[in-house]
Amino acid sequence: MKNETITGSLVLVHPEAKNDPIGKQGQVGVLTYARDASENYVSFPKGGESVYQAKDLMLLKPKEEIRKELLQNGSRMPLNDFKAMYKIMMRQDMGTSSDLFNALEIARDHPGIWDKTLEAVNRSEKIELENTLAR
């Protein structure tokens, strides 16, 4: 499987990952090589590299999806979750790697918004394939 589009992306190791060979649950790293659903290499800023299953690695959803979620359901969510999602969206607008790193850390610290702000790496691969086939 080729997936150059996500290689080099910042990813969050799912905080509840069961199979974490080096104990980096909840940490942000760089996806250095994405081969398939069971072989994804991640390097960490403070050292270390490990192989993860795609389901254990989370990417930020596109800011348009987060914005849509805020507009449609923001009035019904807890205030802290709304603020966290807004901060994530603002960090995505800034777009630097340190801002995206911070956005992933904000998402990590608010389990109530995981499903609204994060997606598994394998879901992103499916979206990329659909976009490629639609052209």
Side-chain angles (χ1 to χ4, degrees), residues 22 24 27 42-50:
I22 60 173
K24 298 283 187 177
Q27 292 193 26
V42 178
S43 291
F44 297 93
K46 295 183 180 176
E49 182 177 56
S50 190

Side-chain angles (χ1 to χ4, degrees), residues 20-108:
D20 188 349
I22 60 173
K24 298 283 187 177
Q25 294 103 329
Q27 292 193 26
V28 178
V30 177
L31 185 65
T32 56
Y33 181 68
R35 181 172 184 158
D36 56 31
S38 63
E39 191 175 354
N40 296 277
Y41 292 80
V42 178
S43 291
F44 297 93
K46 295 183 180 176
E49 182 177 56
S50 190
V51 180
Y52 292 93
Q53 293 185 14
K55 67 179 179 62
D56 293 330
L57 299 175
M58 309 302 287
L59 291 165
L60 285 171
K61 287 185 177 181
K63 63 184 172 187
E64 294 80 21
E65 285 186 40
I66 295 173
R67 181 177 291 121
K68 183 178 176 182
E69 181 70 31
L70 279 172
L71 290 173
Q72 290 178 348
N73 301 314
S75 62
R76 293 188 295 270
M77 65 177 64
L79 183 59
N80 284 337
D81 289 347
F82 180 87
K83 287 180 180 179
M85 285 182 66
Y86 185 77
K87 287 178 186 176
I88 290 168
M89 188 180 67
M90 296 306 290
R91 297 274 186 200
Q92 287 178 305
D93 279 340
M94 290 182 220
T96 67
S97 57
S98 63
D99 286 315
L100 297 176
F101 192 95
N102 291 132
L104 280 165
E105 289 181 323
I106 293 168
R108 172 199 65 206

